[in-house]
Amino acid sequence: MKNAFIIVLFITLTQVSRADRTFDSLFTILNTRSDLFVEDTSENNPYDLLLTHLQSNPDTIALDKWLSKLKKQKIQFKKQGDERMYALLAFYELQFYDNFRNFIVRPESDSILMEAESFLPILKKYQLNDQYAMGFVFLGRANFTVNENKALAYFLIAISQKSSVNWVNSLSAFNLGVIYRRAENYEKAITYLKLCIEYDTTQVVAYNLISFYHAHLHQCDSAYKYLSLAGRYFDTKNNAYIRAKAYHHLCIYEYDSAVFYIKQCVAYWDTMPANSNTYHYLIYFNRDLYRIYKKQRHILNQQQAIDRIDYYTSNLQFDLMGIQAAVMGFEVLEEDAFERNDFKKAYLYRTQLEAVRDSSEKLGALNVYESIQTKNTYEEKLNSYELEAQQKEEAAKRKLQQQKLIGVLAAIVLAFLALLAFVQFRNNKKIKKEKDRSESLLLNILPEEVAEELKTKGTADAKLFNDVTVFFSDFKSFTTVSEKLSPQQLVNELHECFSAFDSIMHKYNIEKIKTVGDAYLAVCGLPVANLKHAEDVIKAALEIQQLMAERKKLNINREGLYDIRVGINSGSVVAGIVGVKKFAYDIWGDTVNTAARMEQNGEAGKVNISEATYELVKDKFNCEYRGEIEAKNKGKLKMYFVE
């Protein structure tokens, strides 16, 4: 039955010549049995044939007729509870909107876009993955010039589906590249444009854009590489190729060549329709001409570029592209005003720039800040600035007159007050210096929270901490090495190693407790709780082992401390201050003793952890089970090396 309809379709298309008769024939066939064709993925699908026909012969009446038919069929399937057919027809409606959005009235298009969020998940439910991905491409394109945040999200969803239809992936990647470029994230833009080329090597515009963006990052070799690739596939007279070539020359400081090609780009965009997109590029290119002329000290050319930027910025339409162009324009105008010491104009441009940036944060409708660019607003700001300056000048004159009347008496009073202020300042500074020094010394001995408690109460109570991880380390063959070094050399070695350990511990919010000889004790999870205490201590331990390995390589022919054993255990400890003179913050408990046994039974260059710690990190690190090993005063303990 389906093949019979396709045969009739081809006979009809062969016999008719007029566009309206072609449309009527296709519409009649689809009106007869639309359900036979809606899932047809061949080139002979009447939906796609009708789409192709309407693209060649756009006609508002025909479009309205077709969309009305689609809507009726869609509603019918929805009422019947056939959600699969409903979603497919809704998808075709969205596709027609994407191709003919300029011919469809806004309320109708908004309705289609709002409905998309409900029917696209149905396509996914029935594993119609290609249509699902295409739907998000259409949504991304619809929001591209209206709401970039939405467009970005839709294109990311589309590309994540890895559709079997290559143009879906390629177009999504291309548009993501352009959106990230608008946000001046050139690295991400390049990443997505390269992905676009992977999906479709014929996307020659992408080669030019990659070259262009590499030049912006001053990656001149990469810019030249992709410019050369673009030259193989592209008409070298094309504006996109010329733009990439211009910025390659700018990247390698060939200013005259860069100016030559940028002027060609300006000439091209001067022929385009006057809209935000055109003015965006004209502001962009004239901005770069202005900065090149400034480097070359071509004052006349520099002023001409600024005048053009001022003109384009003043005539922008305030859609999404217009907002971006206005920000760029006002930035350059402010920069130029400051260069010329025209601070009044610079202030005005800065005010307008901030207003534009504030408005750009309001996502959604077009023309969100129309009032900003009007002549009246500009003049009001100028008058306000002049009035403020005049008021300040008059106030300064009155103040000067008052000072003359007060005379010598005021001078004496001021001098006396200045002397008092100086004495007070000197005393305060001295007191503050001593206080800062005392607090610094206290914080070097105690954790910040404990130090605060000690200052507030005069004492600090011992506390039980249930979830902590203890780090214990010492050096292999320390006694043997220390006999070969002078006392000063040994102290220098320990200082260098422990200083590096301190930095790593600080990085992972681990509290150093003390060093005893060559042993180093630290703990994570106190006095402030840390849910990742075991993970952070292991990361620190691995980093320390890596540091010691690199240190050994760099000093291979020098005697020193290089090999270190590390033991780690998790559990509960008691922490507090001991002593009255030379007091110290310390920790006690079986958890500390077990950490020491882990270190004693470890190996140099390895991180040895207990069973308690292993249970906390087994899903985060690769661990090698060592079996049950006899530990002094502890019996047999399960131990693990962290890879």
Side-chain angles (χ1 to χ4, degrees):
M1 187 66 173
K2 181 175 177 179
N3 293 334
F5 275 110
I6 294 174
I7 293 169
V8 172
L9 174 67
F10 278 114
I11 293 171
T12 305
L13 289 174
T14 305
Q15 291 176 344
V16 297
S17 57
R18 291 169 58 87
D20 55 347
R21 291 176 62 192
T22 304
F23 173 80
D24 289 340
S25 300
L26 283 165
F27 190 80
T28 300
I29 292 170
L30 286 168
N31 198 37
T32 307
R33 285 294 303 279
S34 61
D35 56 321
L36 288 176
F37 301 104
V38 72
E39 299 179 67
D40 185 1
T41 57
S42 71
E43 295 179 358
N44 301 325
N45 184 340
Y47 283 91
D48 291 330
L49 288 171
L50 184 57
L51 178 61
T52 303
H53 168 78
L54 288 172
Q55 285 172 333
S56 304
N57 305 278
D59 178 270
T60 305
I61 296 174
L63 279 168
D64 287 344
K65 184 177 180 181
W66 170 237
L67 285 172
S68 177
K69 167 64 179 174
L70 260 182
K71 191 176 289 292
K72 286 180 182 178
Q73 290 178 330
K74 178 186 72 175
I75 293 171
Q76 183 180 352
F77 282 120
K78 190 174 185 180
K79 286 181 178 179
Q80 292 172 355
D82 191 340
E83 61 176 9
R84 191 168 186 272
M85 288 298 295
Y86 153 72
L88 280 165
L89 284 169
F91 164 76
Y92 272 103
E93 188 179 20
L94 178 62
Q95 184 179 18
F96 268 73
Y97 163 73
D98 178 72
N99 283 268
F100 302 105
R101 66 173 73 96
N102 293 331
F103 293 88
I104 303 173
V105 295
R106 184 63 184 266
E108 180 70 19
S109 65
D110 286 346
S111 171
I112 296 168
L113 292 173
M114 289 174 65
E115 189 178 7
E117 294 185 2
S118 63
F119 73 74
L120 284 175
I122 299 174
L123 295 174
K124 186 72 173 176
K125 174 182 175 181
Y126 288 99
Q127 298 183 346
L128 298 166
N129 296 325
D130 289 338
Q131 287 90 338
Y132 179 74
M134 285 183 210
F136 280 104
V137 171
F138 299 149
L139 286 177
R141 281 156 59 98
N143 284 277
F144 193 73
T145 58
V146 180
N147 190 323
E148 278 188 342
N149 284 334
K150 278 191 175 182
L152 178 67
Y154 291 142
F155 285 125
L156 285 171
I157 293 171
I159 202 167
S160 68
Q161 303 308 306
K162 297 182 180 177
S163 171
S164 62
V165 182
N166 254 0
W167 69 260
V168 173
N169 305 315
S170 176
L171 187 60
S172 299
F174 183 86
N175 282 291
L176 285 168
V178 174
I179 291 172
Y180 277 115
R181 192 278 302 169
R182 287 181 183 173
E184 297 187 355
N185 190 334
Y186 289 99
E187 277 133 354
K188 272 202 172 183
I190 289 169
T191 299
Y192 279 110
L193 288 170
K194 286 181 178 178
L195 186 60
C196 167
I197 293 170
E198 286 181 23
Y199 284 116
D200 183 1
T201 55
T202 65
Q203 281 280 6
V204 288
V205 177
Y207 289 100
N208 285 305
L209 292 180
I210 293 172
S211 173
F212 180 41
Y213 300 163
H214 274 304
H216 264 279
L217 295 172
H218 211 72
Q219 297 166 351
C220 303
D221 291 341
S222 297
Y224 179 75
K225 171 187 172 183
Y226 282 94
L227 181 66
S228 302
L229 290 170
R232 294 183 193 175
Y233 303 109
F234 221 118
D235 176 6
T236 54
K237 294 181 181 179
N238 182 278
N239 178 65
Y241 180 79
I242 291 170
R243 178 176 62 180
K245 195 166 186 178
Y247 286 89
H248 169 66
H249 283 293
L250 187 59
C251 183
I252 57 178
Y253 306 108
E254 294 179 353
Y255 294 129
D256 290 337
S257 297
V259 167
F260 175 77
Y261 288 111
I262 293 174
K263 281 184 174 180
Q264 290 188 37
C265 295
V266 171
Y268 168 81
W269 283 101
D270 272 335
T271 65
M272 295 291 104
N275 55 37
S276 295
N277 188 55
T278 298
Y279 286 162
H280 180 278
Y281 281 103
L282 286 170
I283 292 171
Y284 183 89
F285 292 127
N286 278 287
R287 177 197 66 180
D288 291 337
L289 285 174
Y290 163 77
R291 288 175 177 167
I292 294 172
Y293 290 143
K294 188 164 70 170
K295 289 179 183 292
Q296 296 178 324
R297 299 183 183 280
H298 291 171
I299 306 300
L300 181 60
N301 291 338
Q302 187 177 331
Q303 185 58 47
Q304 288 174 348
I306 279 294
D307 290 342
R308 287 193 291 268
I309 292 170
D310 196 5
Y311 171 78
Y312 299 133
T313 305
S314 301
N315 288 278
L316 280 168
Q317 298 172 354
F318 298 116
D319 49 20
L320 184 61
M321 185 68 78
I323 290 174
Q324 295 169 345
V327 169
M328 183 165 46
F330 284 131
E331 283 178 342
V332 184
L333 291 170
E334 182 194 14
E335 174 187 336
D336 177 68
F338 269 112
E339 287 285 333
R340 291 183 289 101
N341 294 326
D342 189 346
F343 301 117
K344 191 179 295 185
K345 270 196 173 182
Y347 168 80
L348 291 169
Y349 290 137
R350 165 56 54 179
T351 304
Q352 298 221 18
L353 176 60
E354 289 175 354
V356 170
R357 283 176 173 160
D358 288 344
S359 298
S360 68
E361 294 174 1
K362 300 175 183 177
L363 302 177
L366 301 178
N367 301 323
V368 292
Y369 67 104
E370 257 180 358
S371 61
I372 295 171
Q373 192 59 26
T374 63
K375 183 180 179 182
N376 290 338
T377 305
Y378 187 93
E379 289 177 348
E380 285 175 7
K381 291 181 184 297
L382 179 59
N383 292 336
S384 173
Y385 180 84
E386 289 177 345
L387 179 61
E388 183 182 349
Q390 186 179 352
Q391 289 172 344
K392 285 183 178 179
E393 186 177 352
E394 290 175 356
K397 287 180 180 178
R398 287 196 300 270
K399 186 175 181 180
L400 183 61
Q401 290 171 352
Q402 291 171 356
Q403 288 173 343
K404 287 179 179 179
L405 292 172
I406 294 173
V408 178
L409 180 61
I412 294 172
V413 171
L414 289 172
F416 179 70
L417 291 174
L419 180 62
L420 286 177
F422 173 74
V423 172
Q424 185 66 35
F425 172 77
R426 187 176 60 181
N427 290 338
N428 289 344
K429 188 175 180 181
K430 185 176 180 181
I431 293 169
K432 186 177 184 301
K433 184 178 178 181
E434 292 299 324
K435 182 181 178 183
D436 290 345
R437 185 181 177 189
S438 298
E439 289 192 356
S440 177
L441 288 170
L442 189 62
L443 290 174
N444 205 32
I445 300 169
L446 304 175
E448 184 176 352
E449 291 76 7
V450 178
E452 285 298 324
E453 184 183 357
L454 189 63
K455 286 191 293 181
T456 304
K457 296 168 51 181
T459 60
D461 299 329
K463 295 180 182 178
L464 173 66
F465 296 91
N466 287 317
D467 297 307
V468 301
T469 296
V470 177
F471 170 99
F472 210 102
S473 73
D474 76 350
F475 291 95
K476 178 185 176 183
S477 305
F478 176 75
T479 303
T480 304
V481 173
S482 63
E483 290 173 353
K484 298 177 182 179
L485 299 175
S486 69
Q488 188 59 50
Q489 287 175 326
L490 181 61
V491 171
N492 289 343
E493 284 286 304
L494 288 170
H495 177 72
E496 184 178 334
C497 293
F498 288 161
S499 296
F501 292 5
D502 290 346
S503 297
I504 293 171
M505 294 302 174
H506 180 74
K507 174 181 174 182
Y508 291 100
N509 295 316
I510 300 171
E511 193 70 42
K512 175 185 176 182
I513 299 300
K514 62 184 175 182
T515 59
V516 180
D518 66 320
Y520 189 103
L521 176 63
V523 61
C524 185
L526 66 78
V528 178
N530 179 358
L531 296 177
K532 299 183 352 184
H533 55 88
E535 182 181 345
D536 286 345
V537 171
I538 289 178
K539 285 180 180 178
L542 292 172
E543 195 167 324
I544 286 173
Q545 290 292 18
Q546 182 181 359
L547 168 74
M548 298 306 294
E550 291 172 356
R551 191 169 181 271
K552 187 173 184 178
K553 286 180 183 178
L554 292 173
N555 301 281
I556 193 168
N557 295 319
R558 184 172 72 84
E559 194 70 45
L561 302 173
Y562 305 118
D563 298 319
I564 186 172
R565 290 185 298 264
V566 174
I568 295 173
N569 182 38
S570 301
S572 60
V573 299
V574 174
I577 297 174
V578 292
V580 177
K581 292 185 178 181
K582 296 183 181 179
F583 56 81
Y585 187 74
D586 209 344
I587 57 175
W588 304 272
D590 187 61
T591 301
V592 182
N593 298 333
T594 303
R597 298 296 177 263
M598 292 298 115
E599 175 271 315
Q600 291 167 0
N601 290 277
E603 294 180 8
K606 297 281 191 177
V607 176
N608 192 32
I609 67 174
S610 68
E611 183 180 12
T613 303
Y614 170 75
E615 290 298 328
L616 295 174
V617 300
K618 62 185 178 183
D619 296 328
K620 303 283 178 62
F621 299 95
N622 292 326
C623 299
E624 175 192 343
Y625 180 53
R626 301 179 61 200
E628 294 186 352
I629 298 174
E630 187 71 31
K632 183 179 178 182
N633 297 329
K634 299 293 293 182
K636 290 187 176 182
L637 298 176
K638 292 182 180 179
M639 301 185 190
Y640 302 80
F641 280 146
V642 181
E643 297 294 331

